Amino acid sequence: MEWKGSGNNDLEAAVSMGIEKFILSPFVNFVPQPFASYIVQAHGFASTIAKTVMDTLCMNNYTGGFIDTNYMVPLPASKDTVFMYPSPQIAKGMLKACRLFQKQKGLQKRRKRPGRKTPASRMRRAWKHPLVGCALPCSQRYKTRQSMATACGYLRKASMKSGGYATKADGLGAEIDITGYTPDRIRNFSIIAHIDHGKSTLADRLLETTGVITKSGKNKQVLDKLKVERERGITVKAQSASMFCEHDGRKYLVNLIDTPGHVDFSYEVSRSLAACQGTILLVDAAQGIQAQTVANFYLAFGEGLAVIPMLNKVDLPTAEPDRAALQIESAFEIDAANIVHLSAKTGLGIDRVLPSVIERIPAPSGSIDAPFKALLFDTWYDKYVGVVCLMAIKDGAVRRGDRVVSMHSGTRYEVMEVGIMHPEQRPATQLQVGQVGYVVCNMKSVAEAHVGDTFHKDKFPVVPLPGFAPAKSMVFAGVFPLDAGEFDKLNESIQKLTLNDSSVAVHKETSAALGQGWRLGFLGTLHMDVFRQRLEEEYDASVLVTAPTVPYRVQYKDGTSKYIQTPADFPTAIEIQDKVDAVMEPFVLATLIFPEQYLGAMLELCTMHRGDIHTHTYLDESRVMLKCRMPTAEMVTDFYDQLKSRSQGFASFDYEDNGYNESDLVKMEVLLNGEAVDALAAVMHRDNVATVGRTMAKRLKDVIRRQLFDIIIQTAANGKVVARETVKQLRKNVTAKCYGGDISRKMKLLNKQKEGKKRMKKIGRVELPQEAFLSVMTGSKE
Amino acid sequence: MAPARTPLSLYVHWPYCSFLCRFCAFSKARVPASGVDHALVTRALLAELRTSLAPHSKDKELRSIYFGGGTPSLAQPAHVAQIIEQASRLVPLAANAEITLESNPTSAETNKMAAFKAAGITRYSIGIQTLDDGVLQRMGRLHSGAEALAAANRAASLFPGHVSLDMMFGFESQTVDQWQRELETVLAHANGHLSLYQLTVEPGTPLFRDIRAQRVKRNPDDTLALMYETAVALCRSRGLAHYEVSNYAASPESQSAHNIGYWQGRQWIGIGPSAHSRFIDPASGTCLRTVCIPDIQRWVRSCLEHGHGTAKTETVDDAEARQEAVVFGLRMLDGLSNSRFMRTGCVSSGALSLAEYLRVDQVQRYVRDGYLRSSGSLDHLAPTERGLQVIDSILLDILP
């Protein structure tokens, strides 16, 4: 193996100059030899490069990865080992580390010199953060995983011998033994709450009191690992954590499964609930019951879980715990007499939470002697080990080396590692009945891991558990790269992101206006927004997202039906006349909870959005719960924003699917100089065409810049023009003064304009700025 | 016979003004209360002149000198003469070299006109801007329309056929009719050359701040376009040919040779605070662009200590040179010939023809639509009147 270019020299130069960041062009030339195994070992600065190499390998369908450790890294000797080093000293250190490893493995005679510092202790000082990676071609994946696992094992052993030098945070402790925790010593619970009622904060406090994380005052939403989760203060991805605690002199293993709070992610909530026996229903004592409290309660109730109501934020001056308790009683008909009052922020009442959980939530059922049976309820993709599965063990036990089978696909897997989330992955010797933990078993893609699947041991089949229906996309949107040249990069980013979010449906799409892109299905508009934000933040992608549409259904006269995910697929007027029996649109049943003074405004809002009011009930003397059936399409545009503004933020909202209804739908097209722009088309109810058509034409007029010819903007439905605007021809565009001193400025401006022009989308000769697409997306009714 | 010398232009920046116009974005300073130390500024200019012209003495020939600013008519004629004399000693002055001086039409400066002629000035440019005394006052200019016309008349007698009058249009509340009447008056006093600029609101000027704060309204774009079209038509009817976006001349001899140099990519040396230069370095053969220190005091100090006030030197690569050639060539109605493009000053890699460089499909479309004129297979490319008016949009399409 060799580096093309002068990577190492450049590197050394950079290091000697103290440059911390270094863009590595030589790696463009890096060509891994197929079917060879590489181990890349590097330290400090070089580790960045090692990472780059590994990423290159992984991108090229080689698998492998890194292990970060606080200890030197002994590895099985390989003739293809690549050492990347910023200085000769480190290289020397590397070799020593390898020799040390060989000694430990008894591969070499140990020459003991008492009183002398061991190479290990020197290494510990020298290498604060060595980094190891290892990659193999796909064909040898099985072996790779094994060697990775072996390497992991070595690491852990090494760190144990180093006297716990590797910290807990690295998850590199020894395998822990939790076999003593039989079902009666286990409680599995979740916390359900409306967004912002303090669920994640309560989780932080529980983890602190049980010593899973240290009390530092810095623990803010520990389980919310994504940047977007912390920024927006929401949980998107369910997480779980195991805690050990003592109650009445007995030790318990308590597993908390954190759930997302936002309505878009209720699918994740129901998955998480299936792994629990009980749940804490957390209600903000100041705000009282909110729409999601209701929705989540019924989810838990439907699963037959024990529900423990608790009031949070009782320390707030505006808190009205008695009133909130009354609401809980009247809404859910559960006894709220002994309700736990707590303040997750200050820690008040936290000591009562786990005892209530242990006392009031039943222990998981199942038997250690029965054959192994587990429910897969969540997965995520780990760059280095592949898919990590979160499983609730229903019967029996599983340990490393076991062969397990997916009932869904019949595929066999070898278990490489089991453990609990503490709160990071912490390997355990065995997972057994009643416990909840992770299993790493050689799964290469999330597609293989069907959430809701039942696993059993090879040759010991069991009766499968009831699974879950797969997540259903509520909204679809086109996603396109801003710069067509970035398609491949974006493709990769989307692939990586969907590895961890299987609820996003991905289809390729080609638009005449925007080029190649994707049509993605999301659980809701927040989900869509979060996905876009993650794309931009985690993958540095700049994307154009078209207006969201809902899955309309077209029923043909011949009995077939088709789901419309993009306006482009919508049948033409003639087709509708000749072939279509009915055009259906999806509906939701929305639940709104708000103070009674907003009743008028809320009723008006629902009617405006073609809503059909079912009931409105008073939860107490001043809070109203309104149920209303409305088209999903109305909900995805600006309903939520309007709800918040019209109720001054006091109304909360949740929804569930409510089937399809026939509807008078038409496709509205936008024409620029007579040419239809597919990416701006939208399907909508006939009643909305006139207003939406007019506002859209006006907005486009505002964002389209004048060109050398008149631009006629038309919005049309069924071939009939609804609105028309003209952007007049540009009459003059020339710099008045241009002499010697103006030249550089003029050229700079010109190049900036050229860049701007590149980002424009061309429809015929008309240049359409990005804002055109954004303007159509946001709020269609004003 | 000695080989032909390469043409070179010289720009001299005189940084002081007696008043500051609200629209002006050039580097300038008001004359200090204690007065300008003329001798000191001249010494610095001479020092910089020597350093920057010396390397060009062997193979170049000075085709034009231009005194700009600032207000160079505030300089002392004797010092102007000294600079011209020193320059011609360093690089030979071509026989018919054009030496222009910019001036303001205050009576004091008008009185110096003859002395400037004696100092060697051959072409006189007067910044009239507008004849509307109200606008002149609002824009911070300390002269009247009548004074301006008097200055124009005086210049016409001293520099027959070589007088340029600068006008601006598009001031707040100016109507197309007002502009037309004003232009008619100026045309009656014109002698060879007119520069008619649309008022451009440059960031950093007091006018820009006024507009941003909505103290001053901007004329609508279409009104400005109409004023421009009016100017083109009116000048043509009076025998002044439109030859560049903002410039009109009675005959080719009256055109500004110095400014044409910029548009045709000629090499030039600029001296004085903030002055730019663009030339092929005789030592290395690479094309350089330099900018002088903008601050007057620091520039003077640097010139006296180091012999030059250059703050920044950049190389102009082939891509930039070609782009500049097209962008500036197409500012003139005469356009750009392929042979000139292929000889583009700085290009060091192999020559590229216009047809190879430009996006030919776009060029052809603009030719078809009547925005550009071209002969043969792009032997020559020029904008039409209609094309020149929107040339900035066209350039974005035809440049690679």
Side-chain angles (χ1 to χ4, degrees), chain A residues 77-117:
Chain A
S78 156
K79 58 178 177 180
D80 291 316
T81 302
V82 179
F83 291 110
M84 305 197 48
Y85 47 89
S87 70
Q89 285 100 312
I90 301 288
K92 238 192 227 164
M94 292 266 190
L95 291 173
K96 278 190 183 168
C98 280
R99 263 183 235 127
L100 178 82
F101 165 69
Q102 287 169 338
K103 270 184 215 161
Q104 282 177 344
K105 293 291 284 178
L107 297 173
Q108 218 181 48
K109 254 191 187 165
R110 197 176 186 136
R111 282 174 298 162
K112 204 171 182 182
R113 289 190 195 170
R116 200 178 148 182
K117 275 184 183 166

Side-chain angles (χ1 to χ4, degrees), chain A residues 207-340:
Chain A
L207 295 179
E208 276 174 18
T209 49
T210 52
V212 178
I213 52 176
T214 44
K215 257 184 221 169
S216 64
K218 281 183 204 148
N219 295 323
K220 277 194 181 137
Q221 296 171 286
V222 172
L223 295 182
D224 290 347
K225 288 169 190 162
L226 304 175
K227 187 180 169 212
V228 23
E229 291 184 320
R230 287 175 187 229
E231 257 178 26
R232 297 190 175 214
I234 54 170
T235 306
V236 171
K237 187 95 184 115
Q239 296 286 350
S240 66
S242 300
M243 298 170 268
F244 297 98
C245 68
E246 261 192 53
H247 179 64
D248 288 343
R250 284 158 62 98
K251 278 193 160 184
Y252 288 89
L253 170 61
V254 184
N255 300 310
L256 161 65
I257 291 131
D258 193 16
T259 59
H262 192 272
V263 49
D264 277 4
F265 304 103
S266 56
Y267 173 72
E268 291 253 341
V269 178
S270 62
R271 265 169 27 176
S272 308
L273 291 181
C276 315
Q277 284 73 46
T279 183
I280 294 176
L281 179 72
L282 194 66
V283 177
D284 183 326
Q287 291 187 24
I289 287 185
Q290 299 290 322
Q292 272 148 264
T293 322
V294 179
N296 287 331
F297 171 79
Y298 284 110
L299 272 178
F301 192 72
E303 293 277 338
L305 301 187
V307 177
I308 314 174
M310 293 193 183
L311 293 177
N312 193 13
K313 308 194 187 181
V314 290
D315 58 324
L316 284 186
T318 51
E320 292 177 89
D322 297 338
R323 198 171 137 205
L326 256 169
Q327 287 176 3
I328 291 174
E329 283 192 337
S330 70
F332 309 132
E333 296 170 349
I334 48 176
D335 180 20
N338 296 320
I339 197 158
V340 178

Side-chain angles (χ1 to χ4, degrees), chain A residues 495-542:
Chain A
Q495 271 178 16
K496 280 189 190 163
L497 207 46
T498 46
L499 274 180
N500 252 340
D501 189 352
S502 53
S503 53
V504 180
V506 184
H507 306 280
K508 287 254 165 78
E509 185 179 67
T510 307
S511 150
L514 303 176
Q516 261 195 311
W518 299 263
R519 176 118 314 230
L520 302 183
F522 300 100
L523 301 173
T525 41
L526 178 84
H527 185 208
M528 178 172 95
D529 224 25
V530 165
F531 188 86
R532 183 192 50 78
Q533 197 182 340
R534 288 186 64 188
L535 260 186
E536 285 176 357
E537 281 175 359
E538 294 169 35
Y539 294 94
D540 196 24
S542 32

Side-chain angles (χ1 to χ4, degrees), chain A residues 256-431:
Chain A
L256 161 65
I257 291 131
D258 193 16
T259 59
H262 192 272
V263 49
D264 277 4
F265 304 103
S266 56
Y267 173 72
E268 291 253 341
V269 178
S270 62
R271 265 169 27 176
S272 308
L273 291 181
C276 315
Q277 284 73 46
T279 183
I280 294 176
L281 179 72
L282 194 66
V283 177
D284 183 326
Q287 291 187 24
I289 287 185
Q290 299 290 322
Q292 272 148 264
T293 322
V294 179
N296 287 331
F297 171 79
Y298 284 110
L299 272 178
F301 192 72
E303 293 277 338
L305 301 187
V307 177
I308 314 174
M310 293 193 183
L311 293 177
N312 193 13
K313 308 194 187 181
V314 290
D315 58 324
L316 284 186
T318 51
E320 292 177 89
D322 297 338
R323 198 171 137 205
L326 256 169
Q327 287 176 3
I328 291 174
E329 283 192 337
S330 70
F332 309 132
E333 296 170 349
I334 48 176
D335 180 20
N338 296 320
I339 197 158
V340 178
H341 288 205
L342 53 95
S343 164
K345 202 174 157 199
T346 61
L348 174 82
I350 293 296
D351 51 334
R352 291 178 55 200
V353 175
L354 287 180
S356 324
V357 166
I358 291 166
E359 282 163 19
R360 293 168 67 175
I361 289 177
S365 55
S367 156
I368 184 84
D369 302 321
F372 168 70
K373 175 175 169 185
L375 170 75
L376 169 68
F377 69 94
D378 196 12
T379 60
W380 63 88
Y381 187 80
D382 184 292
K383 224 164 139 184
Y384 311 127
V385 297
V387 179
V388 181
C389 303
L390 263 192
M391 291 194 190
I393 316 295
K394 298 294 185 186
D395 278 317
V398 63
R399 51 167 55 229
R400 179 148 53 90
D402 283 353
R403 309 269 285 170
V404 295
V405 182
S406 148
M407 297 216 69
H408 179 89
S409 62
T411 319
R412 281 183 195 81
Y413 300 97
E414 179 171 330
V415 175
M416 325 253 316
E417 185 177 315
V418 297
I420 54 171
M421 302 301 294
H422 194 69
E424 303 298 328
Q425 292 172 32
R426 180 152 184 206
T429 48
Q430 164 168 312
L431 278 181

Side-chain angles (χ1 to χ4, degrees), chain A residues 549-567:
Chain A
T549 63
V550 297
Y552 295 106
R553 199 169 77 197
V554 180
Q555 272 180 349
Y556 291 96
K557 286 184 174 148
D558 60 7
T560 56
S561 69
K562 184 172 124 185
Y563 284 96
I564 305 288
Q565 292 174 358
T566 152

